Amino acid sequence: NRTNGFPCCASPYLLDEVLRKKWGFKGYVVSDCGAITDIYATHKFAPNAVIASAIAVKAGCDIECGDDYPHLIQAVNEGVIDLATIDQSVRRLMEARMRLGMFDPPSMVPYTKIPLSVVNSEKHRALALKAAEESMVLLKNDALLPLSTRPQRIAVIGPNADNLDVLLGNYNGTPAHPITPLAGLRRFAPLGCKIDYEKGCGLTGFEDAAIIPSSAFPSGLRAEIYSNPNLEGSPTEIRIDHTINFEWGEGSPAPSVPKDNFSIRWTGDIVVPNSGKIVFQATDDDGVRLYLDGKLIIDDWHEHAPTNQSAAAYLNAGTRHQFRVEYFERAAGAVMKLAWHLPGGRPYQRAIALAKRSDVCVLCLGISPQLENEGLDRTSIGLPEVQEGLLRAIRATGKPIVLVLLSGSMISSPFAVKSVPAILEAWYPGQEAGHALANILFGRVSPSGRLPVTFFRSLAEVPAFTNYSMQNRTYRYYKGKPLFAFGDGLSYTRFSYRDLRVTDLGAHKCRIEVAVKNVGKRPSAEVLQLYVRLPSAGSQNPKLALRGFRRINLGPSQSKTVAFHLGPNDFSRIDAEGKQVLDRGVATLLVGGRQPEYSQRYTGRGTGLRASYNVR
């Protein structure tokens, strides 16, 4: 990132003036991986690693994730940085290590007394279950949920139904006993319920991608292997490969080539067995480029952990097409595989047949870390095309559908919102995913999660991300009608709000009290949300902002009075000079279980109250 002309890891304003002096931060700062290299390699802010490393340490970046800081020795020798500045960073780092007990006998360090068994303890499994249950968001429910507990046949369909990847997201540990949605429904369904399963399709294709076979390359692929990551100079080795299906790990692609910092170019002709849309999928660590008939269709030329990149092309069977793949490996594990999804076959038929002989269908759709993670952006906010087709095919059977979305970000499907009676956003819910899902679908737990982001209808409704302007982005500035709003979420009961009182405490402080009652027949948690609309709302300023939220549990007919406190920060805005100023005038306070104004205007199910507070 770069702010006000400075790479953030080299910004004295951010790291010293704001972080340490203004905010009083006493700890140490570590860069993101490769961020110091970016200072000279991509930002072009410094001419080389020596200068970039010195600039970063001077600004207050104490330690890096990367391999540039060894150049600090040269920087000291050349007088680019002095030892006193380096000592300052070293002191911060050593203090952190001392506080962690890294130099003390194990008997003095409390962390050494925690046994490994605590990781998968019953207490922690219960916490994982609670986190999953409370984070799932019920977005729509036309009286289908909770599902009946009488004996029935339930069809579980979709590529995420039995997919361990969607439980954990990125940068995760490995749970001892993960429970997929399918496993959870089978294990925790009421007695007599029969759970059947069909995958229906893959995440992005009708079937799982298959490695492109040697028959697709009639003359093989000429592999030129270079002992550098940039395909420069003459290749160290040339050979013929018949498929691209390599997982070298910490090894090298050839005896004469290093295990890190190498690159490969494969060239040849490809012939497809079926005419139609071919989806090519590359699994790579680090970078890959795929050219078809001279056209670049996959461009992922940067360092990252193993990810899947895909692109589609319409090709005719039996016709030779020019084919070129370029790959580079920087460090720490090497993978390069090339697979495809072929057209043809009879998609969805087994899933449709299962739906027809079932009483209700649970569709587990969405995306996975294979399609969104660090270094891999989504190309659309909608369901992948093949999953949208599966949804429509199952909907056409007329059987009731519970759509369970698993994703790490918003999913837009206007068709589903219009046509499916129940929609549950489950996110990447952790090791107890299936257990939590079964508890919610069968009514043992009332859903209580709320959306932490806005679900837009399409990317056409928001500006292109060419700058950091917030206009018409996020719930605070968005002017349209979202598919689902920030803060949205339903439960299996209803709540009423009354007796909203605002007490002025002076000095631009106030106390807000509201009474909430569960007027339904099921116990449930409610998440109260307090929004503030400042006098200057609109134009360049937020139209409203969340200023407090509270989760409370209420049984049937139970009531509770909840209090919030607001102060000067809550009634302030940032002016054009970047300064915080009190926004004087009459502010509007909105309290409810969702964005109150949104729910009243667009859904007719408003549960909120409003009041005014004069900021004098």
Side-chain angles (χ1 to χ4, degrees), residues 435-465:
H435 191 176
L437 181 64
N439 285 348
I440 287 177
L441 295 190
F442 292 110
R444 301 185 191 101
V445 172
S446 175
S448 59
R450 298 294 186 266
L451 286 186
V453 294
T454 304
F455 276 36
F456 299 109
R457 294 176 180 273
S458 76
L459 285 178
E461 298 184 353
V462 293
F465 215 140

PDB file of all heavy atoms in Angstrom, residues 435-465:
ATOM      1  N   HIS A 435     -22.208 -29.424  12.165  1.00  0.00           N
ATOM      2  CA  HIS A 435     -22.974 -29.512  13.407  1.00  0.00           C
ATOM      3  C   HIS A 435     -23.829 -28.260  13.589  1.00  0.00           C
ATOM      4  O   HIS A 435     -25.036 -28.341  13.878  1.00  0.00           O
ATOM      5  CB  HIS A 435     -21.996 -29.678  14.575  1.00  0.00           C
ATOM      6  CG  HIS A 435     -22.652 -30.045  15.869  1.00  0.00           C
ATOM      7  ND1 HIS A 435     -21.927 -30.323  17.011  1.00  0.00           N
ATOM      8  CD2 HIS A 435     -23.959 -30.175  16.223  1.00  0.00           C
ATOM      9  CE1 HIS A 435     -22.754 -30.611  17.981  1.00  0.00           C
ATOM     10  NE2 HIS A 435     -23.994 -30.527  17.540  1.00  0.00           N
ATOM     11  N   ALA A 436     -23.208 -27.086  13.395  1.00  0.00           N
ATOM     12  CA  ALA A 436     -23.929 -25.825  13.544  1.00  0.00           C
ATOM     13  C   ALA A 436     -25.050 -25.709  12.519  1.00  0.00           C
ATOM     14  O   ALA A 436     -26.167 -25.265  12.838  1.00  0.00           O
ATOM     15  CB  ALA A 436     -22.956 -24.654  13.410  1.00  0.00           C
ATOM     16  N   LEU A 437     -24.771 -26.111  11.275  1.00  0.00           N
ATOM     17  CA  LEU A 437     -25.780 -26.025  10.228  1.00  0.00           C
ATOM     18  C   LEU A 437     -26.990 -26.894  10.561  1.00  0.00           C
ATOM     19  O   LEU A 437     -28.143 -26.457  10.409  1.00  0.00           O
ATOM     20  CB  LEU A 437     -25.174 -26.441   8.892  1.00  0.00           C
ATOM     21  CG  LEU A 437     -26.108 -26.381   7.682  1.00  0.00           C
ATOM     22  CD1 LEU A 437     -26.547 -24.946   7.422  1.00  0.00           C
ATOM     23  CD2 LEU A 437     -25.430 -26.958   6.447  1.00  0.00           C
ATOM     24  N   ALA A 438     -26.750 -28.113  11.015  1.00  0.00           N
ATOM     25  CA  ALA A 438     -27.862 -28.996  11.383  1.00  0.00           C
ATOM     26  C   ALA A 438     -28.681 -28.401  12.528  1.00  0.00           C
ATOM     27  O   ALA A 438     -29.916 -28.438  12.509  1.00  0.00           O
ATOM     28  CB  ALA A 438     -27.318 -30.372  11.770  1.00  0.00           C
ATOM     29  N   ASN A 439     -28.003 -27.832  13.524  1.00  0.00           N
ATOM     30  CA  ASN A 439     -28.724 -27.234  14.653  1.00  0.00           C
ATOM     31  C   ASN A 439     -29.628 -26.100  14.202  1.00  0.00           C
ATOM     32  O   ASN A 439     -30.741 -25.928  14.718  1.00  0.00           O
ATOM     33  CB  ASN A 439     -27.735 -26.731  15.701  1.00  0.00           C
ATOM     34  CG  ASN A 439     -27.120 -27.852  16.517  1.00  0.00           C
ATOM     35  OD1 ASN A 439     -27.583 -29.003  16.461  1.00  0.00           O
ATOM     36  ND2 ASN A 439     -26.080 -27.553  17.259  1.00  0.00           N
ATOM     37  N   ILE A 440     -29.170 -25.306  13.240  1.00  0.00           N
ATOM     38  CA  ILE A 440     -29.982 -24.186  12.761  1.00  0.00           C
ATOM     39  C   ILE A 440     -31.109 -24.667  11.852  1.00  0.00           C
ATOM     40  O   ILE A 440     -32.274 -24.275  12.014  1.00  0.00           O
ATOM     41  CB  ILE A 440     -29.098 -23.153  12.047  1.00  0.00           C
ATOM     42  CG1 ILE A 440     -28.254 -22.391  13.077  1.00  0.00           C
ATOM     43  CG2 ILE A 440     -29.934 -22.187  11.222  1.00  0.00           C
ATOM     44  CD1 ILE A 440     -27.287 -21.397  12.497  1.00  0.00           C
ATOM     45  N   LEU A 441     -30.794 -25.539  10.891  1.00  0.00           N
ATOM     46  CA  LEU A 441     -31.827 -25.968   9.948  1.00  0.00           C
ATOM     47  C   LEU A 441     -32.958 -26.723  10.630  1.00  0.00           C
ATOM     48  O   LEU A 441     -34.121 -26.610  10.221  1.00  0.00           O
ATOM     49  CB  LEU A 441     -31.215 -26.832   8.844  1.00  0.00           C
ATOM     50  CG  LEU A 441     -30.214 -26.156   7.902  1.00  0.00           C
ATOM     51  CD1 LEU A 441     -29.888 -27.067   6.721  1.00  0.00           C
ATOM     52  CD2 LEU A 441     -30.742 -24.816   7.404  1.00  0.00           C
ATOM     53  N   PHE A 442     -32.663 -27.475  11.689  1.00  0.00           N
ATOM     54  CA  PHE A 442     -33.701 -28.247  12.373  1.00  0.00           C
ATOM     55  C   PHE A 442     -34.245 -27.531  13.610  1.00  0.00           C
ATOM     56  O   PHE A 442     -35.023 -28.106  14.366  1.00  0.00           O
ATOM     57  CB  PHE A 442     -33.182 -29.637  12.735  1.00  0.00           C
ATOM     58  CG  PHE A 442     -32.942 -30.502  11.530  1.00  0.00           C
ATOM     59  CD1 PHE A 442     -31.664 -30.827  11.144  1.00  0.00           C
ATOM     60  CD2 PHE A 442     -34.008 -30.968  10.769  1.00  0.00           C
ATOM     61  CE1 PHE A 442     -31.428 -31.612  10.023  1.00  0.00           C
ATOM     62  CE2 PHE A 442     -33.782 -31.755   9.646  1.00  0.00           C
ATOM     63  CZ  PHE A 442     -32.499 -32.076   9.264  1.00  0.00           C
ATOM     64  N   GLY A 443     -33.850 -26.276  13.831  1.00  0.00           N
ATOM     65  CA  GLY A 443     -34.492 -25.458  14.841  1.00  0.00           C
ATOM     66  C   GLY A 443     -33.995 -25.631  16.252  1.00  0.00           C
ATOM     67  O   GLY A 443     -34.599 -25.101  17.186  1.00  0.00           O
ATOM     68  N   ARG A 444     -32.906 -26.359  16.458  1.00  0.00           N
ATOM     69  CA  ARG A 444     -32.369 -26.456  17.814  1.00  0.00           C
ATOM     70  C   ARG A 444     -31.766 -25.122  18.247  1.00  0.00           C
ATOM     71  O   ARG A 444     -31.660 -24.845  19.441  1.00  0.00           O
ATOM     72  CB  ARG A 444     -31.308 -27.555  17.875  1.00  0.00           C
ATOM     73  CG  ARG A 444     -31.817 -28.935  17.471  1.00  0.00           C
ATOM     74  CD  ARG A 444     -30.743 -30.005  17.681  1.00  0.00           C
ATOM     75  NE  ARG A 444     -31.155 -31.260  17.064  1.00  0.00           N
ATOM     76  CZ  ARG A 444     -30.708 -31.703  15.894  1.00  0.00           C
ATOM     77  NH1 ARG A 444     -29.817 -30.970  15.223  1.00  0.00           N
ATOM     78  NH2 ARG A 444     -31.132 -32.838  15.390  1.00  0.00           N
ATOM     79  N   VAL A 445     -31.338 -24.344  17.281  1.00  0.00           N
ATOM     80  CA  VAL A 445     -30.764 -23.023  17.528  1.00  0.00           C
ATOM     81  C   VAL A 445     -31.421 -22.044  16.567  1.00  0.00           C
ATOM     82  O   VAL A 445     -31.583 -22.349  15.383  1.00  0.00           O
ATOM     83  CB  VAL A 445     -29.232 -23.030  17.302  1.00  0.00           C
ATOM     84  CG1 VAL A 445     -28.664 -21.612  17.376  1.00  0.00           C
ATOM     85  CG2 VAL A 445     -28.549 -23.924  18.333  1.00  0.00           C
ATOM     86  N   SER A 446     -31.799 -20.875  17.075  1.00  0.00           N
ATOM     87  CA  SER A 446     -32.342 -19.837  16.206  1.00  0.00           C
ATOM     88  C   SER A 446     -31.196 -19.020  15.631  1.00  0.00           C
ATOM     89  O   SER A 446     -30.317 -18.579  16.380  1.00  0.00           O
ATOM     90  CB  SER A 446     -33.280 -18.916  16.989  1.00  0.00           C
ATOM     91  OG  SER A 446     -33.725 -17.845  16.186  1.00  0.00           O
ATOM     92  N   PRO A 447     -31.137 -18.808  14.324  1.00  0.00           N
ATOM     93  CA  PRO A 447     -30.040 -18.021  13.750  1.00  0.00           C
ATOM     94  C   PRO A 447     -30.053 -16.592  14.271  1.00  0.00           C
ATOM     95  O   PRO A 447     -31.122 -16.015  14.499  1.00  0.00           O
ATOM     96  CB  PRO A 447     -30.311 -18.074  12.247  1.00  0.00           C
ATOM     97  CG  PRO A 447     -31.768 -18.388  12.127  1.00  0.00           C
ATOM     98  CD  PRO A 447     -32.109 -19.240  13.303  1.00  0.00           C
ATOM     99  N   SER A 448     -28.857 -16.026  14.448  1.00  0.00           N
ATOM    100  CA  SER A 448     -28.781 -14.665  15.004  1.00  0.00           C
ATOM    101  C   SER A 448     -27.645 -13.852  14.420  1.00  0.00           C
ATOM    102  O   SER A 448     -27.369 -12.753  14.893  1.00  0.00           O
ATOM    103  CB  SER A 448     -28.623 -14.732  16.535  1.00  0.00           C
ATOM    104  OG  SER A 448     -27.448 -15.447  16.889  1.00  0.00           O
ATOM    105  N   GLY A 449     -26.948 -14.376  13.404  1.00  0.00           N
ATOM    106  CA  GLY A 449     -25.866 -13.618  12.794  1.00  0.00           C
ATOM    107  C   GLY A 449     -26.383 -12.429  12.009  1.00  0.00           C
ATOM    108  O   GLY A 449     -27.557 -12.382  11.600  1.00  0.00           O
ATOM    109  N   ARG A 450     -25.519 -11.446  11.794  1.00  0.00           N
ATOM    110  CA  ARG A 450     -25.861 -10.249  11.019  1.00  0.00           C
ATOM    111  C   ARG A 450     -24.774 -10.008   9.977  1.00  0.00           C
ATOM    112  O   ARG A 450     -23.590 -10.285  10.221  1.00  0.00           O
ATOM    113  CB  ARG A 450     -25.988  -9.025  11.926  1.00  0.00           C
ATOM    114  CG  ARG A 450     -27.089  -9.125  12.972  1.00  0.00           C
ATOM    115  CD  ARG A 450     -28.477  -9.160  12.330  1.00  0.00           C
ATOM    116  NE  ARG A 450     -29.539  -9.109  13.318  1.00  0.00           N
ATOM    117  CZ  ARG A 450     -30.137 -10.180  13.841  1.00  0.00           C
ATOM    118  NH1 ARG A 450     -29.733 -11.391  13.485  1.00  0.00           N
ATOM    119  NH2 ARG A 450     -31.116 -10.040  14.724  1.00  0.00           N
ATOM    120  N   LEU A 451     -25.147  -9.465   8.836  1.00  0.00           N
ATOM    121  CA  LEU A 451     -24.184  -9.245   7.766  1.00  0.00           C
ATOM    122  C   LEU A 451     -23.181  -8.164   8.148  1.00  0.00           C
ATOM    123  O   LEU A 451     -23.580  -7.042   8.484  1.00  0.00           O
ATOM    124  CB  LEU A 451     -24.894  -8.819   6.480  1.00  0.00           C
ATOM    125  CG  LEU A 451     -25.666  -9.881   5.713  1.00  0.00           C
ATOM    126  CD1 LEU A 451     -26.176  -9.292   4.402  1.00  0.00           C
ATOM    127  CD2 LEU A 451     -24.822 -11.119   5.449  1.00  0.00           C
ATOM    128  N   PRO A 452     -21.879  -8.456   8.034  1.00  0.00           N
ATOM    129  CA  PRO A 452     -20.855  -7.429   8.285  1.00  0.00           C
ATOM    130  C   PRO A 452     -20.473  -6.658   7.030  1.00  0.00           C
ATOM    131  O   PRO A 452     -19.606  -5.801   7.080  1.00  0.00           O
ATOM    132  CB  PRO A 452     -19.677  -8.258   8.798  1.00  0.00           C
ATOM    133  CG  PRO A 452     -19.801  -9.543   8.045  1.00  0.00           C
ATOM    134  CD  PRO A 452     -21.284  -9.788   7.865  1.00  0.00           C
ATOM    135  N   VAL A 453     -21.101  -6.985   5.903  1.00  0.00           N
ATOM    136  CA  VAL A 453     -20.853  -6.298   4.631  1.00  0.00           C
ATOM    137  C   VAL A 453     -22.193  -6.146   3.915  1.00  0.00           C
ATOM    138  O   VAL A 453     -23.168  -6.808   4.244  1.00  0.00           O
ATOM    139  CB  VAL A 453     -19.871  -7.068   3.723  1.00  0.00           C
ATOM    140  CG1 VAL A 453     -18.493  -7.125   4.332  1.00  0.00           C
ATOM    141  CG2 VAL A 453     -20.398  -8.467   3.426  1.00  0.00           C
ATOM    142  N   THR A 454     -22.221  -5.266   2.919  1.00  0.00           N
ATOM    143  CA  THR A 454     -23.397  -5.101   2.069  1.00  0.00           C
ATOM    144  C   THR A 454     -23.354  -6.111   0.941  1.00  0.00           C
ATOM    145  O   THR A 454     -22.309  -6.325   0.332  1.00  0.00           O
ATOM    146  CB  THR A 454     -23.435  -3.674   1.487  1.00  0.00           C
ATOM    147  OG1 THR A 454     -23.407  -2.731   2.554  1.00  0.00           O
ATOM    148  CG2 THR A 454     -24.692  -3.462   0.666  1.00  0.00           C
ATOM    149  N   PHE A 455     -24.481  -6.739   0.650  1.00  0.00           N
ATOM    150  CA  PHE A 455     -24.603  -7.615  -0.511  1.00  0.00           C
ATOM    151  C   PHE A 455     -25.203  -6.792  -1.643  1.00  0.00           C
ATOM    152  O   PHE A 455     -26.405  -6.518  -1.652  1.00  0.00           O
ATOM    153  CB  PHE A 455     -25.509  -8.817  -0.202  1.00  0.00           C
ATOM    154  CG  PHE A 455     -24.809  -9.966   0.475  1.00  0.00           C
ATOM    155  CD1 PHE A 455     -23.805  -9.737   1.393  1.00  0.00           C
ATOM    156  CD2 PHE A 455     -25.167 -11.279   0.207  1.00  0.00           C
ATOM    157  CE1 PHE A 455     -23.154 -10.793   2.037  1.00  0.00           C
ATOM    158  CE2 PHE A 455     -24.535 -12.347   0.840  1.00  0.00           C
ATOM    159  CZ  PHE A 455     -23.514 -12.100   1.753  1.00  0.00           C
ATOM    160  N   PHE A 456     -24.370  -6.383  -2.601  1.00  0.00           N
ATOM    161  CA  PHE A 456     -24.846  -5.616  -3.740  1.00  0.00           C
ATOM    162  C   PHE A 456     -25.491  -6.549  -4.766  1.00  0.00           C
ATOM    163  O   PHE A 456     -25.194  -7.742  -4.819  1.00  0.00           O
ATOM    164  CB  PHE A 456     -23.693  -4.853  -4.391  1.00  0.00           C
ATOM    165  CG  PHE A 456     -23.035  -3.861  -3.473  1.00  0.00           C
ATOM    166  CD1 PHE A 456     -21.765  -4.086  -2.973  1.00  0.00           C
ATOM    167  CD2 PHE A 456     -23.692  -2.706  -3.108  1.00  0.00           C
ATOM    168  CE1 PHE A 456     -21.154  -3.177  -2.129  1.00  0.00           C
ATOM    169  CE2 PHE A 456     -23.096  -1.783  -2.271  1.00  0.00           C
ATOM    170  CZ  PHE A 456     -21.829  -2.022  -1.768  1.00  0.00           C
ATOM    171  N   ARG A 457     -26.343  -5.976  -5.609  1.00  0.00           N
ATOM    172  CA  ARG A 457     -26.974  -6.773  -6.653  1.00  0.00           C
ATOM    173  C   ARG A 457     -25.999  -7.096  -7.773  1.00  0.00           C
ATOM    174  O   ARG A 457     -26.017  -8.191  -8.326  1.00  0.00           O
ATOM    175  CB  ARG A 457     -28.199  -6.030  -7.209  1.00  0.00           C
ATOM    176  CG  ARG A 457     -29.308  -5.889  -6.190  1.00  0.00           C
ATOM    177  CD  ARG A 457     -30.477  -5.078  -6.718  1.00  0.00           C
ATOM    178  NE  ARG A 457     -31.490  -4.987  -5.682  1.00  0.00           N
ATOM    179  CZ  ARG A 457     -32.453  -5.874  -5.482  1.00  0.00           C
ATOM    180  NH1 ARG A 457     -32.537  -6.926  -6.264  1.00  0.00           N
ATOM    181  NH2 ARG A 457     -33.320  -5.721  -4.508  1.00  0.00           N
ATOM    182  N   SER A 458     -25.167  -6.138  -8.123  1.00  0.00           N
ATOM    183  CA  SER A 458     -24.172  -6.360  -9.173  1.00  0.00           C
ATOM    184  C   SER A 458     -23.055  -5.339  -9.009  1.00  0.00           C
ATOM    185  O   SER A 458     -23.222  -4.302  -8.348  1.00  0.00           O
ATOM    186  CB  SER A 458     -24.796  -6.224 -10.565  1.00  0.00           C
ATOM    187  OG  SER A 458     -25.006  -4.868 -10.900  1.00  0.00           O
ATOM    188  N   LEU A 459     -21.911  -5.618  -9.635  1.00  0.00           N
ATOM    189  CA  LEU A 459     -20.796  -4.686  -9.576  1.00  0.00           C
ATOM    190  C   LEU A 459     -21.094  -3.394 -10.318  1.00  0.00           C
ATOM    191  O   LEU A 459     -20.430  -2.379 -10.101  1.00  0.00           O
ATOM    192  CB  LEU A 459     -19.541  -5.342 -10.152  1.00  0.00           C
ATOM    193  CG  LEU A 459     -18.868  -6.391  -9.263  1.00  0.00           C
ATOM    194  CD1 LEU A 459     -17.663  -6.986  -9.973  1.00  0.00           C
ATOM    195  CD2 LEU A 459     -18.449  -5.789  -7.930  1.00  0.00           C
ATOM    196  N   ALA A 460     -22.100  -3.409 -11.192  1.00  0.00           N
ATOM    197  CA  ALA A 460     -22.470  -2.196 -11.916  1.00  0.00           C
ATOM    198  C   ALA A 460     -23.017  -1.127 -10.975  1.00  0.00           C
ATOM    199  O   ALA A 460     -23.069   0.047 -11.343  1.00  0.00           O
ATOM    200  CB  ALA A 460     -23.508  -2.527 -12.990  1.00  0.00           C
ATOM    201  N   GLU A 461     -23.407  -1.515  -9.767  1.00  0.00           N
ATOM    202  CA  GLU A 461     -23.993  -0.575  -8.821  1.00  0.00           C
ATOM    203  C   GLU A 461     -22.959   0.170  -7.995  1.00  0.00           C
ATOM    204  O   GLU A 461     -23.302   1.089  -7.249  1.00  0.00           O
ATOM    205  CB  GLU A 461     -24.961  -1.300  -7.884  1.00  0.00           C
ATOM    206  CG  GLU A 461     -26.134  -1.936  -8.607  1.00  0.00           C
ATOM    207  CD  GLU A 461     -27.127  -2.563  -7.646  1.00  0.00           C
ATOM    208  OE1 GLU A 461     -26.833  -2.610  -6.440  1.00  0.00           O
ATOM    209  OE2 GLU A 461     -28.198  -3.004  -8.106  1.00  0.00           O
ATOM    210  N   VAL A 462     -21.690  -0.235  -8.071  1.00  0.00           N
ATOM    211  CA  VAL A 462     -20.647   0.430  -7.288  1.00  0.00           C
ATOM    212  C   VAL A 462     -19.540   0.897  -8.230  1.00  0.00           C
ATOM    213  O   VAL A 462     -19.343   0.322  -9.296  1.00  0.00           O
ATOM    214  CB  VAL A 462     -20.074  -0.511  -6.203  1.00  0.00           C
ATOM    215  CG1 VAL A 462     -21.119  -0.808  -5.144  1.00  0.00           C
ATOM    216  CG2 VAL A 462     -19.568  -1.803  -6.817  1.00  0.00           C
ATOM    217  N   PRO A 463     -18.802   1.936  -7.838  1.00  0.00           N
ATOM    218  CA  PRO A 463     -17.765   2.462  -8.729  1.00  0.00           C
ATOM    219  C   PRO A 463     -16.610   1.472  -8.909  1.00  0.00           C
ATOM    220  O   PRO A 463     -16.346   0.635  -8.040  1.00  0.00           O
ATOM    221  CB  PRO A 463     -17.276   3.731  -8.006  1.00  0.00           C
ATOM    222  CG  PRO A 463     -18.293   4.016  -6.952  1.00  0.00           C
ATOM    223  CD  PRO A 463     -18.927   2.717  -6.601  1.00  0.00           C
ATOM    224  N   ALA A 464     -15.924   1.610 -10.029  1.00  0.00           N
ATOM    225  CA  ALA A 464     -14.700   0.836 -10.236  1.00  0.00           C
ATOM    226  C   ALA A 464     -13.681   1.240  -9.175  1.00  0.00           C
ATOM    227  O   ALA A 464     -13.599   2.406  -8.784  1.00  0.00           O
ATOM    228  CB  ALA A 464     -14.147   1.090 -11.641  1.00  0.00           C
ATOM    229  N   PHE A 465     -12.885   0.273  -8.715  1.00  0.00           N
ATOM    230  CA  PHE A 465     -11.961   0.531  -7.603  1.00  0.00           C
ATOM    231  C   PHE A 465     -10.655   1.104  -8.149  1.00  0.00           C
ATOM    232  O   PHE A 465      -9.606   0.459  -8.121  1.00  0.00           O
ATOM    233  CB  PHE A 465     -11.705  -0.753  -6.820  1.00  0.00           C
ATOM    234  CG  PHE A 465     -11.528  -0.512  -5.348  1.00  0.00           C
ATOM    235  CD1 PHE A 465     -12.079  -1.373  -4.412  1.00  0.00           C
ATOM    236  CD2 PHE A 465     -10.827   0.580  -4.878  1.00  0.00           C
ATOM    237  CE1 PHE A 465     -11.926  -1.159  -3.062  1.00  0.00           C
ATOM    238  CE2 PHE A 465     -10.665   0.814  -3.527  1.00  0.00           C
ATOM    239  CZ  PHE A 465     -11.216  -0.054  -2.621  1.00  0.00           C
TER     240      PHE A 465
END
